Amino acid sequence: MRKFIVLLGVLVFSIFFSIEGFANFADTHGMSASGIARGNAMTAIASDWSATYYNIAGLGKTKRNSVESKDTGDSASEGDKKYDLTGLHDQLAISYFYTNPDFEIDIPRETRMDEDLEAGIVCIGIAFDLNNIYKMPDFISSSRFGLALGLMADKNIAKINDIDIKTHTFLRYGRELSAPAIIAGLGLGFMDDLFAIGFGANVLVGGEGAIKMDSVTIGNEDVPLAYQVKIDVGPEIAPVLGLYMNVGELTSILEGLEFGLAYKGEVYVEIDPLDAVAQTQLLDIELELTLGVCDYYTPDIYSFGIAYTPPFISKLTVSADYEFQKYSDYKLSSTRHRYWEEERTTPENYVNYELPDFQDIFVPKLGVSYEFNQWLTLLGGYYYQPAFVEDDANNGIFNFLDNDKRVFSIGSEFIIPKMAGMVVPIQFNIGFQYQQLIDRDVHKLRLDNSIALSESSGPSNYWNLFNPDYSYGGSNYLVTCEVIIRM
C-alpha cells in the first residue's frame, strides 16, 4: 500500500507542471494489440479487457470470447472441437507498445520537437467477473469489472513539458502522449448477452494551489529561497458510457449483426488557479503572479460501430466505426488566455497573437478478422484521421502541428489451450501499425493578411528569421505484443 501511495504521489507531481500535452498513447495509437491490428474499429466487437477503452459495454458480453477447447459431441473429432469460454470470464493482460516516428520540418530551429519521439508504453488490463464476489440476478447474464492502465515504459509516470506554444510541436507524439491512461468501469449483459450496457470513469488529476516566496534576492547569484507551497489535488473524472446489441439474436435474417455505441468524456489536468506571491528584499516589493496549468486535453469522443459475421463465412468478421472527436472545446489555462489575448499587445501590425480555434473531426475506421484455424486469427485494419488543427491555425505566431493521417495495420491472435500441465489458456496477440502523415504547408500572414516574403529588415524579416513558412509531415511505425491470461 505504501508503494502505491508513493507511486500516486510521483504521478501527481510529475503531471503538475506539464503545460502543453494534447493526447495519450491510446488516443494516438489504440489500447490493445488486437484492437490496433483491427484498425481500432472495435466499438461493436470489443469483449475482452480492452472493452474498458473501446466500448465499456463490451465487458458485459462473453459469447464472442473463445478459448478453451470443448467437444461438440461424444464422438467429436479433433477438427470438430470448438473454442468456448464458458466460465472463463476473468482476464489479466500485459501489453508492450513501441512507436518510432520519423518526422520532418523543412526549416532549421534551435528547439527541435520532431526529434527523440520514439516511445515505449506498458499497458495492464484486467477483466474480472463480479459473480466471483456476488451471484448476480438471473436477468443479468454477465457482469464484469474492467481496468485499463497505460504508462510510459521509460520509468517516467509522466514527463515535464514546459514548452512555449510558439514552438513547433507535434501534438500527438513524443512527450505529448506521455499522460497516463486510466479507465475503469463495469459492463452488464442482459438476456443471454442480447444487449449490454457499461459505465465507468476516465481518470486524471486536478485542483488548485498557491506558492509564497519570501525574501527573494534580485541579482545574478543563485540563492536558496524561503517558500511555502500549498496545492490541493483531487481526481478529475470524466464519464465513460457504452451500449452493445447483438441484433442477430432477434431474427435469423440479421444473424451475425452487432451494434455498439460508446462515449468517453472530456478529460484534462487542470491546476487553476496556481497563485504565487514573491516578496523581494529590495524595497520590500511584493509581486503577485497568476499561474495556471491546463494539460493533456482529450476531447469528448463519440463512437458508433457495426460488425457483421456472415453465417455462410462464420470465420470472417468485418467491423466499422465512425468516431466524432469534439476538439472545438479545447482548453488552455486562464493564464495563457490572459497572457496571449489580453496582456500581450503590440503596436506592430505584423505580429499575430490570436490563439487558434481547433475543429471537430470525424474518423472512419474499418477492421477485419479471419479465424484461420482454431488457434490462429488473422487481423487487418485501416482508418483515416483528419487533423484537428485547421489550415489557418498556424498563420500567426503559434505552431500546433497535426496532420491528416492514413493508418494501416495488421496482426494476429494466437491461442494456446490448456495442455502439458497448463492450468489456464493463454492468448498472444501481435500488431503492427503504419501511420502516413500527409504533408502539410504553413504560410505565415501579417494581420493585414499579406504574406511575409521579403528578406529586407523590419517586420517582414521577423517572419523570415524567427517564424518562417514551412512544410511538415512524415510517418510513424508501431509494433506491439500482448499476453492475455484467461481464468
Side-chain angles (χ1 to χ4, degrees):
M1 187 66 181
R2 291 182 179 177
K3 290 183 178 179
F4 175 78
I5 293 174
V6 172
L7 182 63
L8 182 59
V10 173
L11 166 63
V12 169
F13 284 100
S14 296
I15 290 176
F16 272 171
F17 301 103
S18 181
I19 302 298
E20 287 303 319
F22 292 83
N24 57 45
F25 77 92
D27 295 323
T28 299
H29 299 287
M31 193 63 174
S32 70
S34 58
I36 289 172
R38 280 190 173 97
N40 292 312
M42 296 285 287
T43 304
I45 61 173
S47 61
D48 62 5
W49 70 271
S50 67
T52 309
Y53 174 80
Y54 289 111
N55 182 0
I56 200 163
L59 292 170
K61 61 175 180 173
T62 57
K63 282 189 174 182
R64 179 174 288 277
N65 291 284
S66 56
V67 174
E68 186 179 12
S69 179
K70 182 179 180 181
D71 288 348
T72 58
D74 294 337
S75 60
S77 64
E78 187 68 24
D80 292 331
K81 288 184 178 180
K82 303 295 183 182
Y83 285 121
D84 184 18
L85 193 59
T86 303
L88 298 178
H89 299 168
D90 299 334
Q91 299 167 5
L92 172 63
I94 301 176
S95 308
Y96 178 78
F97 305 81
Y98 176 75
T99 176
N100 186 17
D102 182 17
F103 300 152
E104 288 294 336
I105 304 177
D106 63 353
I107 55 173
R109 285 152 299 123
E110 292 183 3
T111 303
R112 295 298 301 259
M113 294 302 294
D114 61 332
E115 294 180 343
D116 300 325
L117 297 179
E118 66 272 9
I121 300 103
V122 174
C123 186
I124 298 174
I126 296 173
F128 179 75
D129 189 350
L130 297 179
N131 285 288
N132 293 329
I133 301 175
Y134 178 82
K135 180 64 174 68
M136 294 294 169
D138 292 339
F139 65 88
I140 299 179
S141 54
S142 58
S143 57
R144 286 189 294 175
F145 167 80
L147 170 67
L149 172 64
L151 300 171
M152 305 303 292
D154 58 4
K155 302 180 182 180
N156 290 297
I157 302 299
K159 295 184 179 180
I160 297 174
N161 186 24
D162 191 359
I163 301 298
D164 192 326
I165 56 178
K166 299 191 302 297
T167 302
H168 303 74
T169 303
F170 285 92
L171 302 183
R172 297 183 186 267
Y173 301 92
R175 299 174 70 89
E176 311 305 321
L177 57 73
S178 63
I182 307 171
I183 303 178
L186 304 176
L188 303 175
F190 300 89
M191 302 178 64
D192 200 21
D193 291 0
L194 171 64
F195 72 97
I197 61 173
F199 50 92
N202 192 358
V203 183
L204 280 175
V205 297
E208 59 183 27
I211 303 172
K212 183 179 180 181
M213 295 167 282
D214 296 322
S215 301
V216 177
T217 300
I218 299 176
N220 297 325
E221 296 182 0
D222 294 332
V223 295
L225 291 177
Y227 63 90
Q228 302 178 63
V229 178
K230 178 182 178 181
I231 300 177
D232 298 324
V233 178
E236 292 291 334
I237 298 176
V240 176
L241 304 172
L243 174 67
Y244 159 81
M245 176 168 282
N246 184 357
V247 295
E249 294 290 328
L250 299 175
T251 173
S252 59
I253 298 176
L254 300 177
E255 182 181 354
L257 190 62
E258 302 168 278
F259 289 97
L261 293 172
Y263 166 73
K264 290 193 289 289
E266 174 189 71
V267 66
Y268 49 91
V269 173
E270 186 174 46
I271 310 296
D272 199 347
L274 182 58
D275 297 326
V277 176
Q279 188 167 13
T280 66
Q281 288 184 342
L282 179 63
L283 301 179
D284 198 29
I285 297 174
E286 187 173 274
L287 303 175
E288 295 187 5
L289 309 175
T290 299
L291 308 176
V293 174
C294 186
D295 186 19
Y296 294 125
Y297 180 82
T298 300
D300 288 326
I301 299 177
Y302 302 82
S303 301
F304 168 75
I306 183 172
Y308 183 57
T309 303
F312 50 88
I313 315 178
S314 60
K315 295 184 176 183
L316 175 69
T317 298
V318 179
S319 59
D321 280 15
Y322 198 57
E323 186 172 276
F324 173 69
Q325 301 181 2
K326 200 172 189 303
Y327 271 101
S328 59
D329 288 341
Y330 166 76
K331 293 176 176 58
L332 284 172
S333 70
S334 59
T335 304
R336 283 195 179 276
H337 277 289
R338 288 182 58 187
Y339 181 78
W340 290 113
E341 294 184 345
E342 298 177 17
E343 304 296 335
R344 188 73 169 177
T345 58
T346 177
E348 295 89 350
N349 68 353
Y350 60 87
V351 179
N352 180 3
Y353 294 106
E354 182 179 358
L355 290 167
D357 294 323
F358 292 150
Q359 63 184 354
D360 301 331
I361 60 174
F362 292 90
V363 184
K365 303 176 182 180
L366 180 65
V368 61
S369 65
Y370 183 80
E371 187 182 339
F372 188 74
N373 54 38
Q374 297 181 45
W375 48 269
L376 178 64
T377 300
L378 304 180
L379 312 169
Y382 169 82
Y383 66 90
Y384 176 81
Q385 185 176 65
F388 62 82
V389 178
E390 298 181 274
D391 289 339
D392 60 353
N394 291 326
N395 60 17
I397 200 168
F398 304 113
N399 297 285
F400 298 96
L401 306 187
D402 192 35
N403 302 72
D404 295 343
K405 291 190 288 290
R406 301 185 184 99
V407 183
F408 305 86
S409 57
I410 57 173
S412 66
E413 298 175 348
F414 182 84
I415 297 170
I416 301 178
K418 293 191 297 184
M419 62 181 184
M422 292 174 54
V423 178
V424 295
I426 297 178
Q427 180 174 333
F428 292 92
N429 300 333
I430 59 173
F432 172 81
Q433 183 185 82
Y434 168 71
Q435 297 185 349
Q436 178 192 14
L437 278 64
I438 300 173
D439 290 344
R440 207 164 181 191
D441 300 322
V442 174
H443 299 286
K444 298 294 183 177
L445 304 178
R446 300 187 187 94
L447 288 183
D448 60 5
N449 290 327
S450 63
I451 301 177
L453 296 177
S454 172
E455 296 184 359
S456 62
S457 61
S460 295
N461 199 39
Y462 167 82
W463 293 107
N464 293 318
L465 295 179
F466 302 105
N467 202 26
D469 295 351
Y470 58 91
S471 298
Y472 65 97
S475 59
N476 181 39
Y477 301 88
L478 176 138
V479 293
T480 176
C481 59
E482 177 179 75
V483 178
I484 301 178
I485 301 173
R486 300 178 181 269
M487 296 167 282

